[in-house]
Amino acid sequence: MSQSISFALDDANHEIENLRKQEYAMASGYTLDLETLRWSISDSQSYVMVARDQQQMVSTMRGELITDQTLLEKKLECPWDFPKDLQWPAILLSRAATSKSHQSQGLNLVLRYWFLKMAQHHRIPLVVGTFVNGSPRQNTLLDMGYQFFENTLGWQQSTYRSLRPVIVAVLDMTTHGQQALNYCEQKLGNKLSYRLEGSFPDLRYVRNL
Protein backbone atom coordinates (compact mmCIF):
# COMPACT_ATOMS: atom_id res chain seq x y z
CA MET A 1 0.00 0.00 0.00
CA SER A 2 1.69 3.22 -1.17
CA GLN A 3 -0.26 5.51 1.18
CA SER A 4 -1.11 4.19 4.60
CA ILE A 5 -2.10 5.00 8.18
CA SER A 6 -0.72 3.02 11.11
CA PHE A 7 0.02 3.22 14.81
CA ALA A 8 3.69 3.76 15.53
CA LEU A 9 5.79 1.69 17.88
CA ASP A 10 8.54 3.04 20.12
CA ASP A 11 11.21 2.26 17.52
CA ALA A 12 9.80 5.02 15.27
CA ASN A 13 10.51 7.67 17.89
CA HIS A 14 13.31 9.47 16.06
CA GLU A 15 11.30 9.92 12.86
CA ILE A 16 8.38 11.26 14.89
CA GLU A 17 10.57 13.61 16.92
CA ASN A 18 12.06 15.06 13.73
CA LEU A 19 8.61 15.69 12.22
CA ARG A 20 7.41 17.34 15.43
CA LYS A 21 10.44 19.62 15.73
CA GLN A 22 10.17 20.69 12.07
CA GLU A 23 6.49 21.64 12.54
CA TYR A 24 6.72 23.30 15.94
CA ALA A 25 9.80 25.34 15.05
CA MET A 26 7.41 27.37 12.88
CA ALA A 27 4.88 27.81 15.71
CA SER A 28 2.73 30.93 15.75
CA GLY A 29 0.89 32.21 18.80
CA TYR A 30 3.00 30.37 21.34
CA THR A 31 6.57 29.46 22.16
CA LEU A 32 8.02 26.21 23.44
CA ASP A 33 11.22 24.31 24.13
CA LEU A 34 11.55 21.91 21.19
CA GLU A 35 13.10 19.31 23.48
CA THR A 36 9.60 18.93 24.95
CA LEU A 37 8.72 17.11 21.73
CA ARG A 38 11.08 14.21 22.36
CA TRP A 39 9.49 10.77 22.69
CA SER A 40 8.26 10.30 26.27
CA ILE A 41 6.54 7.82 28.57
CA SER A 42 3.24 9.46 27.59
CA ASP A 43 3.96 8.67 23.94
CA SER A 44 4.56 5.02 24.79
CA GLN A 45 1.26 4.93 26.67
CA SER A 46 -0.59 6.78 23.89
CA TYR A 47 -1.67 6.00 20.35
CA VAL A 48 0.75 7.76 18.00
CA MET A 49 -0.69 7.62 14.51
CA VAL A 50 1.46 8.15 11.42
CA ALA A 51 0.80 8.58 7.71
CA ARG A 52 3.28 7.14 5.23
CA ASP A 53 3.65 7.87 1.53
CA GLN A 54 5.82 5.32 -0.27
CA GLN A 55 7.16 4.20 3.14
CA GLN A 56 8.20 7.77 4.08
CA MET A 57 6.63 9.06 7.30
CA VAL A 58 4.92 12.32 6.31
CA SER A 59 2.50 13.12 9.15
CA THR A 60 1.79 12.22 12.76
CA MET A 61 -0.74 12.90 15.52
CA ARG A 62 -0.97 11.64 19.11
CA GLY A 63 -4.10 10.44 20.90
CA GLU A 64 -4.03 10.10 24.70
CA LEU A 65 -6.84 8.08 26.24
CA ILE A 66 -7.60 9.57 29.66
CA THR A 67 -9.98 8.53 32.44
CA ASP A 68 -8.92 10.99 35.16
CA GLN A 69 -10.10 14.61 35.39
CA THR A 70 -7.02 15.78 37.30
CA LEU A 71 -4.68 14.41 34.63
CA LEU A 72 -6.72 15.95 31.81
CA GLU A 73 -6.70 19.32 33.55
CA LYS A 74 -2.92 19.15 33.99
CA LYS A 75 -2.48 18.40 30.30
CA LEU A 76 -4.82 21.24 29.28
CA GLU A 77 -3.30 23.57 31.92
CA CYS A 78 -6.70 24.68 33.17
CA PRO A 79 -9.57 23.47 35.35
CA TRP A 80 -12.51 21.84 33.60
CA ASP A 81 -15.07 24.46 34.60
CA PHE A 82 -16.73 24.56 31.19
CA PRO A 83 -20.49 24.07 30.67
CA LYS A 84 -19.86 20.58 29.27
CA ASP A 85 -19.97 17.43 31.38
CA LEU A 86 -16.93 15.18 31.13
CA GLN A 87 -17.53 11.61 30.00
CA TRP A 88 -14.94 8.87 30.19
CA PRO A 89 -12.80 7.85 28.57
CA ALA A 90 -11.85 10.99 26.65
CA ILE A 91 -9.20 11.05 23.97
CA LEU A 92 -6.93 14.11 23.80
CA LEU A 93 -5.43 14.76 20.35
CA SER A 94 -2.13 16.65 20.19
CA ARG A 95 1.43 16.71 18.81
CA ALA A 96 0.28 16.88 15.19
CA ALA A 97 2.97 17.50 12.58
CA THR A 98 3.28 17.14 8.81
CA SER A 99 6.32 17.13 6.55
CA LYS A 100 6.84 20.29 4.50
CA SER A 101 6.54 18.21 1.32
CA HIS A 102 2.97 17.16 2.20
CA GLN A 103 1.51 20.17 4.01
CA SER A 104 -1.06 20.95 1.33
CA GLN A 105 -2.57 17.46 1.32
CA GLY A 106 -4.92 17.69 4.31
CA LEU A 107 -3.10 15.05 6.33
CA ASN A 108 -3.99 16.64 9.68
CA LEU A 109 -7.65 16.08 8.80
CA VAL A 110 -6.91 12.58 7.52
CA LEU A 111 -5.33 11.58 10.84
CA ARG A 112 -8.12 13.26 12.79
CA TYR A 113 -10.64 11.29 10.73
CA TRP A 114 -9.02 7.98 11.63
CA PHE A 115 -8.90 8.95 15.31
CA LEU A 116 -12.62 9.75 15.13
CA LYS A 117 -13.22 6.38 13.48
CA MET A 118 -11.33 4.79 16.36
CA ALA A 119 -13.41 6.74 18.89
CA GLN A 120 -16.56 5.57 17.14
CA HIS A 121 -15.33 1.97 17.06
CA HIS A 122 -14.53 1.92 20.79
CA ARG A 123 -17.48 4.15 21.77
CA ILE A 124 -15.19 6.81 23.23
CA PRO A 125 -17.63 9.63 24.08
CA LEU A 126 -15.39 12.73 23.92
CA VAL A 127 -12.57 13.92 21.68
CA VAL A 128 -10.64 16.88 23.09
CA GLY A 129 -7.98 19.23 21.73
CA THR A 130 -6.43 22.58 22.55
CA PHE A 131 -4.85 25.30 20.42
CA VAL A 132 -4.27 29.05 20.29
CA ASN A 133 -6.94 31.28 18.80
CA GLY A 134 -6.42 31.88 15.10
CA SER A 135 -5.15 28.36 14.38
CA PRO A 136 -5.64 27.22 10.76
CA ARG A 137 -7.79 24.30 11.99
CA GLN A 138 -10.23 26.50 13.91
CA ASN A 139 -12.98 26.89 11.29
CA THR A 140 -12.68 23.25 10.27
CA LEU A 141 -13.32 22.08 13.83
CA LEU A 142 -16.34 24.37 14.16
CA ASP A 143 -17.79 22.96 10.93
CA MET A 144 -17.20 19.43 12.26
CA GLY A 145 -19.30 20.15 15.33
CA TYR A 146 -16.69 20.83 18.00
CA GLN A 147 -17.64 23.11 20.90
CA PHE A 148 -15.11 25.78 21.86
CA PHE A 149 -14.29 27.00 25.37
CA GLU A 150 -11.65 29.52 26.40
CA ASN A 151 -8.81 28.52 28.70
CA THR A 152 -8.48 31.91 30.40
CA LEU A 153 -5.25 30.88 32.14
CA GLY A 154 -3.46 30.17 28.87
CA TRP A 155 -0.42 27.92 28.67
CA GLN A 156 2.02 29.07 31.33
CA GLN A 157 2.76 26.00 33.47
CA SER A 158 4.80 23.81 31.13
CA THR A 159 7.44 24.62 28.50
CA TYR A 160 4.65 26.02 26.29
CA ARG A 161 3.93 29.76 26.59
CA SER A 162 0.80 31.01 24.84
CA LEU A 163 0.93 34.44 23.19
CA ARG A 164 -2.73 34.43 22.14
CA PRO A 165 -5.95 33.23 23.82
CA VAL A 166 -6.12 29.45 24.21
CA ILE A 167 -9.13 27.38 23.14
CA VAL A 168 -10.20 23.97 24.42
CA ALA A 169 -12.17 22.15 21.70
CA VAL A 170 -14.53 19.28 22.53
CA LEU A 171 -16.34 16.93 20.16
CA ASP A 172 -19.23 14.96 21.64
CA MET A 173 -19.17 11.75 19.63
CA THR A 174 -22.75 10.86 20.59
CA THR A 175 -24.28 14.07 19.27
CA HIS A 176 -21.78 15.21 16.61
CA GLY A 177 -19.50 12.27 15.82
CA GLN A 178 -21.25 11.25 12.62
CA GLN A 179 -21.46 14.88 11.48
CA ALA A 180 -17.70 15.20 11.96
CA LEU A 181 -16.98 11.99 10.05
CA ASN A 182 -19.29 13.02 7.20
CA TYR A 183 -17.53 16.39 7.03
CA CYS A 184 -14.12 14.71 6.78
CA GLU A 185 -15.27 12.31 4.07
CA GLN A 186 -16.80 15.11 2.01
CA LYS A 187 -13.83 17.43 2.47
CA LEU A 188 -11.10 14.86 1.88
CA GLY A 189 -12.54 12.86 -1.01
CA ASN A 190 -9.78 10.82 -2.63
CA LYS A 191 -7.28 11.90 0.03
CA LEU A 192 -8.78 9.10 2.09
CA SER A 193 -6.63 6.83 -0.08
CA TYR A 194 -4.55 6.86 3.10
CA ARG A 195 -6.10 3.71 4.58
CA LEU A 196 -5.62 2.21 8.02
CA GLU A 197 -3.39 -0.85 8.07
CA GLY A 198 -4.95 -3.58 10.18
CA SER A 199 -7.53 -2.97 12.88
CA PHE A 200 -7.86 -0.47 15.71
CA PRO A 201 -5.75 -1.38 18.75
CA ASP A 202 -7.21 -2.30 22.11
CA LEU A 203 -7.83 0.47 24.65
CA ARG A 204 -4.94 1.58 26.85
CA TYR A 205 -4.79 4.56 29.13
CA VAL A 206 -2.28 7.32 29.76
CA ARG A 207 -1.18 7.75 33.38
CA ASN A 208 1.71 10.19 32.99
CA LEU A 209 2.11 13.84 32.01
Side-chain angles (χ1 to χ4, degrees), residues 17-45:
E17 286 175 10
N18 289 338
L19 263 183
R20 288 174 176 174
K21 288 180 178 180
Q22 170 195 291
E23 174 92 3
Y24 285 77
M26 302 181 291
S28 173
Y30 62 94
T31 62
L32 78 159
D33 177 359
L34 293 179
E35 290 305 305
T36 304
L37 304 173
R38 294 180 66 84
W39 190 269
S40 66
I41 293 173
S42 287
D43 288 308
S44 296
Q45 295 175 349

mmCIF file of all heavy atoms in Angstrom, residues 17-45:
data_model
loop_
_atom_site.group_PDB
_atom_site.id
_atom_site.type_symbol
_atom_site.label_atom_id
_atom_site.label_comp_id
_atom_site.label_asym_id
_atom_site.label_seq_id
_atom_site.Cartn_x
_atom_site.Cartn_y
_atom_site.Cartn_z
ATOM 1 N N GLU A 17 9.963 12.430 16.310
ATOM 2 C CA GLU A 17 10.567 13.615 16.922
ATOM 3 C C GLU A 17 10.991 14.618 15.864
ATOM 4 O O GLU A 17 10.768 15.830 16.007
ATOM 5 C CB GLU A 17 11.786 13.216 17.751
ATOM 6 C CG GLU A 17 11.464 12.529 19.064
ATOM 7 C CD GLU A 17 12.720 12.044 19.775
ATOM 8 O OE1 GLU A 17 13.835 12.419 19.335
ATOM 9 O OE2 GLU A 17 12.599 11.286 20.747
ATOM 10 N N ASN A 18 11.599 14.151 14.787
ATOM 11 C CA ASN A 18 12.061 15.061 13.730
ATOM 12 C C ASN A 18 10.895 15.778 13.065
ATOM 13 O O ASN A 18 10.967 16.985 12.777
ATOM 14 C CB ASN A 18 12.870 14.289 12.682
ATOM 15 C CG ASN A 18 14.225 13.853 13.199
ATOM 16 O OD1 ASN A 18 14.746 14.434 14.159
ATOM 17 N ND2 ASN A 18 14.802 12.829 12.594
ATOM 18 N N LEU A 19 9.796 15.053 12.803
ATOM 19 C CA LEU A 19 8.612 15.689 12.225
ATOM 20 C C LEU A 19 8.047 16.748 13.171
ATOM 21 O O LEU A 19 7.699 17.850 12.750
ATOM 22 C CB LEU A 19 7.539 14.638 11.946
ATOM 23 C CG LEU A 19 7.416 14.051 10.546
ATOM 24 C CD1 LEU A 19 6.236 13.100 10.483
ATOM 25 C CD2 LEU A 19 7.270 15.135 9.499
ATOM 26 N N ARG A 20 7.949 16.404 14.438
ATOM 27 C CA ARG A 20 7.409 17.344 15.425
ATOM 28 C C ARG A 20 8.259 18.614 15.491
ATOM 29 O O ARG A 20 7.734 19.733 15.486
ATOM 30 C CB ARG A 20 7.359 16.693 16.798
ATOM 31 C CG ARG A 20 6.290 15.632 16.972
ATOM 32 C CD ARG A 20 6.436 14.952 18.317
ATOM 33 N NE ARG A 20 5.374 13.986 18.592
ATOM 34 C CZ ARG A 20 5.351 13.194 19.643
ATOM 35 N NH1 ARG A 20 6.321 13.244 20.536
ATOM 36 N NH2 ARG A 20 4.355 12.352 19.834
ATOM 37 N N LYS A 21 9.564 18.456 15.575
ATOM 38 C CA LYS A 21 10.440 19.618 15.728
ATOM 39 C C LYS A 21 10.376 20.519 14.495
ATOM 40 O O LYS A 21 10.391 21.744 14.609
ATOM 41 C CB LYS A 21 11.868 19.162 16.006
ATOM 42 C CG LYS A 21 12.046 18.588 17.404
ATOM 43 C CD LYS A 21 13.482 18.141 17.657
ATOM 44 C CE LYS A 21 13.648 17.617 19.068
ATOM 45 N NZ LYS A 21 15.030 17.171 19.334
ATOM 46 N N GLN A 22 10.281 19.908 13.310
ATOM 47 C CA GLN A 22 10.168 20.693 12.073
ATOM 48 C C GLN A 22 8.905 21.549 12.094
ATOM 49 O O GLN A 22 8.919 22.733 11.757
ATOM 50 C CB GLN A 22 10.141 19.753 10.874
ATOM 51 C CG GLN A 22 9.785 20.428 9.553
ATOM 52 C CD GLN A 22 9.417 19.408 8.494
ATOM 53 O OE1 GLN A 22 10.261 18.663 8.036
ATOM 54 N NE2 GLN A 22 8.140 19.365 8.114
ATOM 55 N N GLU A 23 7.779 20.933 12.522
ATOM 56 C CA GLU A 23 6.490 21.641 12.535
ATOM 57 C C GLU A 23 6.459 22.726 13.606
ATOM 58 O O GLU A 23 6.068 23.868 13.356
ATOM 59 C CB GLU A 23 5.361 20.630 12.784
ATOM 60 C CG GLU A 23 3.991 21.230 12.973
ATOM 61 C CD GLU A 23 3.204 21.338 11.685
ATOM 62 O OE1 GLU A 23 3.706 20.891 10.631
ATOM 63 O OE2 GLU A 23 2.086 21.869 11.725
ATOM 64 N N TYR A 24 6.885 22.381 14.814
ATOM 65 C CA TYR A 24 6.722 23.299 15.942
ATOM 66 C C TYR A 24 7.768 24.412 15.943
ATOM 67 O O TYR A 24 7.577 25.426 16.616
ATOM 68 C CB TYR A 24 6.732 22.526 17.258
ATOM 69 C CG TYR A 24 5.441 21.780 17.517
ATOM 70 C CD1 TYR A 24 5.153 20.587 16.857
ATOM 71 C CD2 TYR A 24 4.484 22.284 18.391
ATOM 72 C CE1 TYR A 24 3.958 19.911 17.071
ATOM 73 C CE2 TYR A 24 3.286 21.618 18.622
ATOM 74 C CZ TYR A 24 3.036 20.432 17.951
ATOM 75 O OH TYR A 24 1.851 19.766 18.167
ATOM 76 N N ALA A 25 8.832 24.246 15.188
ATOM 77 C CA ALA A 25 9.804 25.335 15.047
ATOM 78 C C ALA A 25 9.179 26.537 14.347
ATOM 79 O O ALA A 25 9.652 27.662 14.486
ATOM 80 C CB ALA A 25 11.029 24.853 14.271
ATOM 81 N N MET A 26 8.097 26.296 13.598
ATOM 82 C CA MET A 26 7.405 27.370 12.879
ATOM 83 C C MET A 26 6.159 27.830 13.628
ATOM 84 O O MET A 26 5.272 28.445 13.057
ATOM 85 C CB MET A 26 7.023 26.894 11.478
ATOM 86 C CG MET A 26 8.205 26.440 10.629
ATOM 87 S SD MET A 26 7.715 25.904 8.981
ATOM 88 C CE MET A 26 6.818 24.388 9.347
ATOM 89 N N ALA A 27 6.085 27.519 14.913
ATOM 90 C CA ALA A 27 4.884 27.805 15.708
ATOM 91 C C ALA A 27 4.539 29.283 15.700
ATOM 92 O O ALA A 27 5.416 30.145 15.719
ATOM 93 C CB ALA A 27 5.092 27.332 17.142
ATOM 94 N N SER A 28 3.239 29.561 15.690
ATOM 95 C CA SER A 28 2.731 30.927 15.749
ATOM 96 C C SER A 28 1.714 31.015 16.877
ATOM 97 O O SER A 28 0.838 30.152 16.999
ATOM 98 C CB SER A 28 2.069 31.300 14.419
ATOM 99 O OG SER A 28 1.423 32.545 14.499
ATOM 100 N N GLY A 29 1.838 32.033 17.711
ATOM 101 C CA GLY A 29 0.885 32.213 18.799
ATOM 102 C C GLY A 29 1.312 31.610 20.109
ATOM 103 O O GLY A 29 0.641 31.759 21.131
ATOM 104 N N TYR A 30 2.444 30.926 20.108
ATOM 105 C CA TYR A 30 2.996 30.366 21.340
ATOM 106 C C TYR A 30 4.470 30.049 21.127
ATOM 107 O O TYR A 30 4.960 30.001 19.998
ATOM 108 C CB TYR A 30 2.244 29.102 21.773
ATOM 109 C CG TYR A 30 2.321 27.956 20.784
ATOM 110 C CD1 TYR A 30 3.301 26.965 20.895
ATOM 111 C CD2 TYR A 30 1.409 27.855 19.739
ATOM 112 C CE1 TYR A 30 3.367 25.924 19.987
ATOM 113 C CE2 TYR A 30 1.476 26.820 18.831
ATOM 114 C CZ TYR A 30 2.454 25.842 18.960
ATOM 115 O OH TYR A 30 2.520 24.814 18.057
ATOM 116 N N THR A 31 5.172 29.875 22.211
ATOM 117 C CA THR A 31 6.569 29.456 22.155
ATOM 118 C C THR A 31 6.715 28.172 22.968
ATOM 119 O O THR A 31 5.890 27.873 23.837
ATOM 120 C CB THR A 31 7.503 30.530 22.737
ATOM 121 O OG1 THR A 31 7.178 30.725 24.130
ATOM 122 C CG2 THR A 31 7.353 31.851 21.997
ATOM 123 N N LEU A 32 7.764 27.420 22.671
ATOM 124 C CA LEU A 32 8.018 26.211 23.445
ATOM 125 C C LEU A 32 9.463 25.783 23.277
ATOM 126 O O LEU A 32 10.148 26.187 22.332
ATOM 127 C CB LEU A 32 7.107 25.071 23.002
ATOM 128 C CG LEU A 32 7.470 24.313 21.717
ATOM 129 C CD1 LEU A 32 6.794 22.936 21.723
ATOM 130 C CD2 LEU A 32 7.069 25.083 20.472
ATOM 131 N N ASP A 33 9.924 24.965 24.209
ATOM 132 C CA ASP A 33 11.223 24.314 24.134
ATOM 133 C C ASP A 33 11.048 23.072 23.267
ATOM 134 O O ASP A 33 10.282 22.166 23.608
ATOM 135 C CB ASP A 33 11.682 23.946 25.548
ATOM 136 C CG ASP A 33 12.994 23.186 25.554
ATOM 137 O OD1 ASP A 33 13.551 22.914 24.473
ATOM 138 O OD2 ASP A 33 13.465 22.849 26.659
ATOM 139 N N LEU A 34 11.736 23.014 22.122
ATOM 140 C CA LEU A 34 11.549 21.913 21.190
ATOM 141 C C LEU A 34 11.929 20.564 21.791
ATOM 142 O O LEU A 34 11.461 19.513 21.323
ATOM 143 C CB LEU A 34 12.344 22.159 19.906
ATOM 144 C CG LEU A 34 11.871 23.339 19.046
ATOM 145 C CD1 LEU A 34 12.754 23.487 17.816
ATOM 146 C CD2 LEU A 34 10.411 23.175 18.624
ATOM 147 N N GLU A 35 12.743 20.572 22.838
ATOM 148 C CA GLU A 35 13.101 19.305 23.482
ATOM 149 C C GLU A 35 11.885 18.664 24.147
ATOM 150 O O GLU A 35 11.868 17.459 24.418
ATOM 151 C CB GLU A 35 14.219 19.533 24.500
ATOM 152 C CG GLU A 35 15.564 19.879 23.860
ATOM 153 C CD GLU A 35 16.007 18.832 22.836
ATOM 154 O OE1 GLU A 35 16.074 17.638 23.205
ATOM 155 O OE2 GLU A 35 16.267 19.206 21.679
ATOM 156 N N THR A 36 10.866 19.469 24.402
ATOM 157 C CA THR A 36 9.605 18.933 24.948
ATOM 158 C C THR A 36 9.004 17.890 24.014
ATOM 159 O O THR A 36 8.243 17.026 24.447
ATOM 160 C CB THR A 36 8.591 20.084 25.126
ATOM 161 O OG1 THR A 36 9.165 21.088 25.943
ATOM 162 C CG2 THR A 36 7.296 19.617 25.752
ATOM 163 N N LEU A 37 9.339 17.960 22.733
ATOM 164 C CA LEU A 37 8.716 17.108 21.727
ATOM 165 C C LEU A 37 9.381 15.752 21.593
ATOM 166 O O LEU A 37 8.953 14.924 20.780
ATOM 167 C CB LEU A 37 8.740 17.829 20.372
ATOM 168 C CG LEU A 37 8.083 19.221 20.375
ATOM 169 C CD1 LEU A 37 8.318 19.912 19.046
ATOM 170 C CD2 LEU A 37 6.594 19.118 20.673
ATOM 171 N N ARG A 38 10.424 15.506 22.396
ATOM 172 C CA ARG A 38 11.077 14.207 22.360
ATOM 173 C C ARG A 38 10.106 13.117 22.819
ATOM 174 O O ARG A 38 9.178 13.367 23.572
ATOM 175 C CB ARG A 38 12.324 14.208 23.250
ATOM 176 C CG ARG A 38 13.426 15.136 22.749
ATOM 177 C CD ARG A 38 14.635 15.083 23.670
ATOM 178 N NE ARG A 38 15.261 13.773 23.636
ATOM 179 C CZ ARG A 38 16.158 13.383 22.719
ATOM 180 N NH1 ARG A 38 16.538 14.219 21.771
ATOM 181 N NH2 ARG A 38 16.677 12.183 22.761
ATOM 182 N N TRP A 39 10.337 11.908 22.327
ATOM 183 C CA TRP A 39 9.491 10.768 22.695
ATOM 184 C C TRP A 39 9.525 10.578 24.214
ATOM 185 O O TRP A 39 10.580 10.639 24.831
ATOM 186 C CB TRP A 39 10.001 9.516 21.996
ATOM 187 C CG TRP A 39 9.077 8.341 22.104
ATOM 188 C CD1 TRP A 39 9.086 7.377 23.068
ATOM 189 C CD2 TRP A 39 8.016 8.005 21.202
ATOM 190 N NE1 TRP A 39 8.101 6.459 22.833
ATOM 191 C CE2 TRP A 39 7.424 6.810 21.693
ATOM 192 C CE3 TRP A 39 7.501 8.586 20.045
ATOM 193 C CZ2 TRP A 39 6.350 6.186 21.052
ATOM 194 C CZ3 TRP A 39 6.446 7.965 19.409
ATOM 195 C CH2 TRP A 39 5.879 6.790 19.906
ATOM 196 N N SER A 40 8.364 10.363 24.811
ATOM 197 C CA SER A 40 8.263 10.304 26.268
ATOM 198 C C SER A 40 7.466 9.073 26.707
ATOM 199 O O SER A 40 6.926 8.327 25.877
ATOM 200 C CB SER A 40 7.553 11.561 26.783
ATOM 201 O OG SER A 40 6.200 11.566 26.339
ATOM 202 N N ILE A 41 7.371 8.899 28.023
ATOM 203 C CA ILE A 41 6.545 7.816 28.565
ATOM 204 C C ILE A 41 5.104 7.969 28.095
ATOM 205 O O ILE A 41 4.434 6.992 27.765
ATOM 206 C CB ILE A 41 6.624 7.810 30.105
ATOM 207 C CG1 ILE A 41 8.035 7.433 30.564
ATOM 208 C CG2 ILE A 41 5.609 6.833 30.687
ATOM 209 C CD1 ILE A 41 8.241 7.565 32.057
ATOM 210 N N SER A 42 4.619 9.224 28.055
ATOM 211 C CA SER A 42 3.242 9.459 27.593
ATOM 212 C C SER A 42 3.048 8.984 26.160
ATOM 213 O O SER A 42 1.982 8.463 25.810
ATOM 214 C CB SER A 42 2.884 10.940 27.712
ATOM 215 O OG SER A 42 2.697 11.301 29.053
ATOM 216 N N ASP A 43 4.066 9.156 25.317
ATOM 217 C CA ASP A 43 3.963 8.674 23.939
ATOM 218 C C ASP A 43 3.831 7.155 23.912
ATOM 219 O O ASP A 43 3.024 6.596 23.155
ATOM 220 C CB ASP A 43 5.185 9.101 23.126
ATOM 221 C CG ASP A 43 5.196 10.580 22.814
ATOM 222 O OD1 ASP A 43 4.192 11.076 22.300
ATOM 223 O OD2 ASP A 43 6.215 11.236 23.087
ATOM 224 N N SER A 44 4.620 6.482 24.746
ATOM 225 C CA SER A 44 4.564 5.017 24.786
ATOM 226 C C SER A 44 3.211 4.528 25.281
ATOM 227 O O SER A 44 2.742 3.454 24.882
ATOM 228 C CB SER A 44 5.677 4.471 25.685
ATOM 229 O OG SER A 44 6.953 4.771 25.148
ATOM 230 N N GLN A 45 2.571 5.300 26.157
ATOM 231 C CA GLN A 45 1.260 4.927 26.674
ATOM 232 C C GLN A 45 0.133 5.332 25.723
ATOM 233 O O GLN A 45 -0.997 4.840 25.858
ATOM 234 C CB GLN A 45 1.033 5.591 28.037
ATOM 235 C CG GLN A 45 1.980 5.111 29.124
ATOM 236 C CD GLN A 45 1.811 5.885 30.424
ATOM 237 O OE1 GLN A 45 1.134 6.917 30.475
ATOM 238 N NE2 GLN A 45 2.437 5.405 31.478
#
